[in-house]
Amino acid sequence: MTVDRDVIEAHEQAPPHEVSRATVVAYAVAAALLVAWFLFGWLVLRQGFVDSVGESAGAGFALLLIISVVGTVRRSRR
């Protein structure tokens, strides 16, 4: 039990990692582009609602995958 307590105490004392303003802006821009992509597919190209949602969700998941790979590479270089 002391090992668990030591780990918990060390974790609680660690300062939280702050997210930079540029990261928040980049995520907001990505979300706006995904919404725009959905609306473009649904309203302009006249593909179905479900198809537009699926296409936007797929693009979002691909973007998240790219972000996680880049983050992993950057973290491994430190």
Side-chain angles (χ1 to χ4, degrees), residues 1-77:
M1 289 300 250
T2 53
V3 174
D4 292 337
R5 289 182 187 164
D6 293 339
V7 171
I8 290 172
E9 289 174 5
H11 181 68
E12 288 176 351
Q13 293 174 357
H17 298 288
E18 294 185 14
V19 178
S20 68
R21 182 170 288 158
T23 302
V24 173
V25 169
Y27 284 154
V29 168
L33 287 174
L34 287 173
V35 169
W37 185 250
F38 162 74
L39 291 174
F40 177 75
W42 186 36
L43 299 174
V44 176
L45 296 179
R46 301 247 183 227
Q47 60 188 20
F49 178 80
V50 175
D51 290 337
S52 295
V53 169
E55 191 171 324
S56 297
F61 286 131
L63 186 61
L64 286 174
L65 179 65
I66 292 168
I67 289 170
S68 69
V69 168
V70 169
T72 302
V73 169
R74 287 183 65 197
R75 185 172 295 135
S76 69
R77 290 186 180 182

